Amino acid sequence: MAPAAPDVVENALLDGRVRLRQPARGYRAGMDAALLAAAVAPRSGDRLFEAGCGAGAVLMQIAARHAGVSLTGLERDSVAAGLARENADLNQSADRIRIFDGDVADGFRPLDLPPFDWAVSNPPFFDDPGALRAPAPGKQGAWMADDGLAAWTGLLLKSVREGGRIVIIHRADRLADLLTLLGEKAGSFAIRPVQPFADEPAKRVLVQAIKTGKAPLRLLPPLVLHDRSGAKHTPEAEAILRGEAALGW
């Protein structure tokens, strides 16, 4: 039986340039998706792949930011994949966005696609069910990596050409794991911490790696999301959310 259609809400992203339909309950794309989309800089003609694209929040924002880029998403949840296709139509981007149904654990080969110029992902933040209170059923797939972080990094490494770029947003406390796993076939790391406040530790990291890259690791200035002024976001974070600025490397 096909999964039941979820209750859906429509949100506006990038100051209204993107319309995103996503489930009213369960996992909802937010700041992490916006930061990941802002952290890629493809050229016209480039091809970009996203592992675990959900309803397409990252892909739609990249499409709005960068004309002339072909985008491909992989998603195992058929309902989310269906919403991603709807969102591509809704944002007049269906001609350059393809969504494949499939599991990260199956690897890249079953897709029968040539390697990409870019590969991006916001992998599930946990891969040990005993490490946290179980998430709500609607968030289980987005929060829990059944096959571990290695399955995600392995897919990303296979999906890009030599010299291609991989960009991941993840928990700051998994940085060492990310560097170890990606370092098997990639290098030239650039790391941008993401801090809730300037005087608090980073909770997220954005990591860029280049397949077969050999340049020294670079630790970049952090992005600070909030200040103590009472504003919802810092001016820098607000500009990124509105699509007025990017997160360069």
Side-chain angles (χ1 to χ4, degrees):
M1 293 179 61
D7 293 330
V8 171
V9 296
E10 185 175 308
N11 302 113
L13 308 177
L14 297 185
D15 207 22
R17 290 164 56 196
V18 169
R19 297 165 61 189
L20 185 76
R21 291 170 56 81
Q22 56 183 335
R25 293 182 294 274
Y27 176 77
R28 301 271 296 280
M31 177 67 76
D32 291 343
L35 297 182
L36 182 57
V40 300
R43 297 170 296 183
S44 181
D46 277 357
R47 299 170 56 254
L48 181 145
F49 173 74
E50 183 185 7
C53 68
V58 174
L59 294 177
M60 303 308 143
Q61 291 180 81
I62 294 174
R65 284 175 171 272
H66 301 283
V69 176
S70 298
L71 305 158
T72 297
L74 176 69
E75 177 53 50
R76 73 174 182 177
D77 184 307
S78 60
V79 172
L83 284 172
R85 296 184 185 99
E86 288 183 28
N87 285 322
D89 286 329
L90 191 64
N91 290 281
Q92 290 81 51
S93 297
D95 60 332
R96 58 192 182 105
I97 295 178
R98 292 188 298 172
I99 307 298
F100 286 80
D101 292 271
D103 198 317
V104 165
D106 294 333
F108 186 66
R109 182 173 293 180
L111 299 178
D112 193 26
L113 295 170
F116 288 80
D117 304 296
W118 292 77
V120 304
S121 188
N122 177 13
F125 283 168
F126 301 95
D127 51 17
D128 178 3
L132 79 165
R133 180 168 53 88
K139 297 183 179 181
Q140 182 78 30
W143 282 66
M144 193 68 64
D146 294 338
D147 298 284
L149 186 57
W152 291 76
T153 56
L155 173 63
L156 294 171
L157 287 166
K158 289 286 189 182
S159 68
V160 293
R161 59 174 176 79
E162 290 192 6
R165 296 173 186 265
I166 297 168
V167 183
I168 297 177
I169 188 167
H170 211 280
R171 289 164 36 203
D173 63 356
R174 297 303 300 274
L175 177 58
D177 297 321
L178 285 171
L179 297 180
T180 298
L181 292 167
L182 291 172
E184 294 177 3
K185 294 184 179 178
S188 302
F189 290 105
I191 302 164
R192 188 177 297 280
V194 181
Q195 299 174 206
F197 291 92
D199 57 355
E200 293 185 2
K203 290 189 175 181
R204 299 282 188 271
V205 286
L206 281 154
V207 176
Q208 179 182 260
I210 298 177
K211 188 169 181 179
T212 67
K214 303 296 183 184
L217 182 149
R218 293 179 296 126
L219 181 61
L220 303 177
L223 172 68
V224 179
L225 299 179
H226 312 285
D227 57 31
R228 307 292 182 183
S229 68
K232 188 172 183 180
H233 300 107
T234 61
E236 184 181 8
E238 186 66 24
I240 290 167
L241 290 173
R242 290 182 178 276
E244 299 167 354
L247 270 172
W249 297 100

